[in-house]
Structures are given as structure tokens and as C-alpha cells.
Amino acid sequence: MAKLMAIDIGGGTQDILLYDSDKTLENCIQLILPSPTVLVAQQIKRATEAGKAVFLHGHVMGGGPSTKAVRDHLSKGLPVFATKEAALTIHDDPKRVESLGVVTTEDPPAHAVRIHTGDIDREMLARILGEAGEDLPAEFAVAVQDHGYSPGESNRIFRFRIWEQFMAAGGKLSDLVYGDIPSFFTRMEAARKQAPGALLMDTCGAALLGALTDERVREASARGTVAVINLGNQHTFAALVEDQRVIGLFEHHTGMMTPQKVAHYLKKLTAGKLSNAEVQEDQGHGCLPPAEAVDPVLTVVTGPRRSLLSSLDCYFAAPQGNMMLMGCFGLVDAANL
């Protein structure tokens, strides 16, 4: 593998590393750009301001900002049209999408602003790299947060069931890397259509592997259990890692977290006393505690919202001196597993 395009797609940013094995990481091209859902939301907002209908077409992708923009557009009395696949970005249940006022169609109305949906914009990446004298490489590794296709139930509950299956299978770090993508991961499947042959990971898994590439974290993990907390723009994920396995974890929404709550959750998790019910009743995804209490040799914090824990005694990991590329470093590591 001479070159690899590693893309970690979050709710606020897409973090990009053109890994080149012939260069030091410091000299590889590195980009922090608005996430695709933010870019799509901006296009919708411009159409809203112009009073024009929009037509969404392309692939299922991350929602959040783009879905909010759709709702805001509709609230102004402006039409939204979408292909069947693009509509899945808004919700897995077509009836829910239609109830919002979105018209599902494969034929774009002539008057509507066409907006392409998808987590990977190859044309944009090619233009940026071209300006820097580089070509788009053949190999891709991509991380997205895929809640799984669950039209009949909460995607929050469905997503955590996937974590339960991962833990039941042993919680091996290597299992966080997908060669064959489970059929319910429709967002990952869409990403692979846009980047054929790409290695796929969940963003939480990529961040976890990336944190473990930090020299101090790697040294600590050789001595015992390491607690890793990733405070993303939208989701907070914490894992206890021991002997190349995850032995406990919880996932929540960053917008609902405070320094005190994170510290409380982590304390109960390491004691083996944080329950799945407690996290879900707090509108989080869930928790899988370790079989017995553990005393981490190091507590590691990463993610764009890491400042939430700046007052606590934690280690702020920054592999190769760049925290924002944590997921990309995890993807590169995964490609070499």
C-alpha cells in the first residue's frame, strides 16, 4: 500500500489524510473540512433563502445538519423532493419521511435545485488534491457512524444492539474493521459504492484504534487496562481496552454531556456498576460494563469536544501531534492489521 485516502466522517467535520508510505506522516497531506452533511445543509439553506424547491438525489449519508435543514425548508412552505435512497438520510421509514412533507420521486422537477447526497465527494477531493499536485489514490479507508437500517424501531437502540453483538463475540479490536459489510449497514454500503473496495469502520472504532497509536497510550495499554473517551461533535463514546479487546463501553450524545456526567459515567463504568438502562433512560445509546471492576492505568481523552474534560486528570492523546486526525490514524492502522 503506497498511498491510502483515509476519511473520517463526523457530524461536524470530515478529517482527511492522504497517507503516503514514502513520506513521514508530518509531510502527508492533511485536511479538516466541513462534514458532507454540513455541506449539504448549506446548499439546502441557500435554496431556502432563494425560495426554491430542492431535489435530493444520490446516496444515503449522515443526517443531523442536513435533516434539520430539510425540516427548516419545509417549515417555510417550500417543497422537498428526494429519491428513495436519498430519502433514507432523513429516516429509514418512508412513511416518516412522507409525513414530514417530503415527496419521494426518481424524476426531478424542472424547477427544483438539485442537491447531491453522499458521504464521499470524489470530485471535490480530486480537485483539492490536484491543486496540490496529487492524484486521487485507488485505495480508500472510510469511517462513518452507521446506526444501521431499522425502520421499525429506534436507531439508537438498534445501533447499541450491534455493540452488544460485538462484545458478545469477544470485543476484539480487529473485529471493528469491516471487510464484508453487514447488510443493515446501509450507510457503509453507500460509502463503498462511492469508493469501491474501501475498508470501512465505524467512527467510534476508528477513533479508538487511532488513540491506541499514540505512543503514551500504546505503552500504557501494554501494562494494563486503558480507558479511552472520544468526545465527538455529536456522540460520546468510552471504551475500556485490555489485551487488544474492549471489555466495557458506553455511548451517549455529546450535547447532553457535562464534565460531571462524563466523570460519573466513567467512574461507574470502571466499577462495573453503570447499567445499560441508566444510559438509555438518559437518552444515550447504552452501556456494556466490564465483568468486574477495573482500575485503568491511563484515562485517555480525544475528540473535537475534548475540552469538556479539560479540568479532569486525563491524558489528551494526539498521535503524531494531530488530535483531529485520530480516526484517520486508526483507519491507516486498520489497513495494516
Side-chain angles (χ1 to χ4, degrees):
M1 182 182 64
K3 292 184 180 181
L4 173 73
M5 177 62 78
I7 310 175
D8 179 25
I9 302 169
T13 66
Q14 53 179 318
D15 312 322
I16 301 168
L17 169 67
L18 177 58
Y19 174 74
D20 187 338
S21 60
D22 291 333
K23 298 179 180 178
T24 63
L25 276 172
E26 290 80 0
N27 287 326
C28 291
I29 291 176
Q30 305 171 23
L31 302 168
I32 308 297
L33 302 175
S35 66
T37 185
V38 170
L39 295 174
V40 168
Q42 291 172 352
Q43 294 180 65
I44 296 172
K45 289 176 183 177
R46 286 195 290 270
T48 305
E49 292 167 356
K52 296 181 178 180
V54 299
F55 173 64
L56 306 177
H57 65 102
H59 303 277
V60 61
M61 63 179 295
S66 62
T67 299
K68 181 180 184 303
V70 165
R71 291 176 180 272
D72 291 345
H73 192 84
L74 291 166
S75 72
K76 302 293 185 182
L78 297 169
V80 175
F81 303 90
T83 62
K84 182 178 179 180
E85 183 173 354
L88 291 173
T89 298
I90 302 169
H91 200 280
D92 287 337
D93 186 346
K95 293 181 179 179
R96 289 280 296 273
V97 176
E98 291 175 4
S99 70
L100 293 174
V102 177
V103 177
T104 304
T105 177
E106 302 301 312
D107 299 316
H111 63 284
V113 176
R114 295 174 62 95
I115 298 175
H116 190 268
T117 61
D119 279 317
I120 303 173
D121 188 338
R122 295 178 67 98
E123 292 184 2
M124 178 189 72
L125 293 173
R127 287 197 304 271
I128 293 173
L129 292 181
E131 291 293 327
E134 291 278 359
D135 294 324
L136 201 63
E139 302 294 330
F140 275 68
V142 182
V144 298
Q145 186 171 78
D146 196 329
H147 284 71
Y149 180 71
S150 55
E153 68 174 316
S154 163
N155 61 16
R156 178 171 59 94
I157 303 301
F158 186 87
R159 174 176 167 80
F160 206 74
R161 190 177 304 132
I162 299 168
W163 283 120
E164 291 173 338
Q165 294 169 357
F166 163 72
M167 293 290 284
K172 294 180 292 184
L173 294 177
S174 58
D175 287 345
L176 294 172
V177 185
Y178 291 103
D180 295 327
I181 303 173
S183 60
F184 49 76
F185 277 149
T186 52
R187 188 178 172 191
M188 287 191 187
E189 283 286 6
R192 184 166 283 175
K193 288 178 183 177
Q194 296 161 80
L199 175 151
L200 269 298
M201 293 189 71
D202 186 86
T203 51
C204 291
L208 181 57
L209 285 187
L212 293 170
T213 67
D214 181 281
E215 185 175 349
R216 182 174 172 185
V217 181
R218 184 169 57 245
E219 184 275 331
S221 66
R223 293 187 285 111
T225 304
V226 171
V228 180
I229 308 168
N230 180 51
L231 290 156
N233 283 309
Q234 293 186 358
H235 288 83
T236 290
F237 177 78
L240 302 174
V241 181
E242 181 178 286
D243 193 26
Q244 296 299 303
R245 293 188 308 114
V246 177
I247 62 171
L249 60 86
F250 75 79
E251 187 175 22
H252 212 302
H253 297 100
T254 303
M256 301 179 69
M257 304 306 284
T258 64
Q260 295 76 19
K261 184 183 285 189
V262 177
H264 169 74
Y265 272 16
L266 185 62
K267 182 178 180 180
K268 292 191 71 173
L269 178 68
T270 57
K273 296 181 178 180
L274 183 63
S275 70
N276 187 50
E278 178 178 349
V279 178
Q280 290 191 346
E281 288 170 6
D282 190 39
Q283 298 305 305
H285 285 76
C287 170
L288 291 165
E292 57 185 15
V294 296
D295 184 16
V297 297
L298 184 67
T299 297
V300 182
V301 178
T302 185
R305 298 288 300 281
R306 64 197 185 285
S307 61
L308 269 174
L309 298 185
S310 59
S311 63
L312 301 183
D313 184 20
C314 304
Y315 172 63
F316 280 33
Q320 289 77 46
N322 192 331
M323 189 287 303
M324 283 301 290
L325 289 185
M326 189 75 67
C328 293
F329 296 140
L331 288 166
V332 172
D333 189 59
N336 290 315
L337 285 177

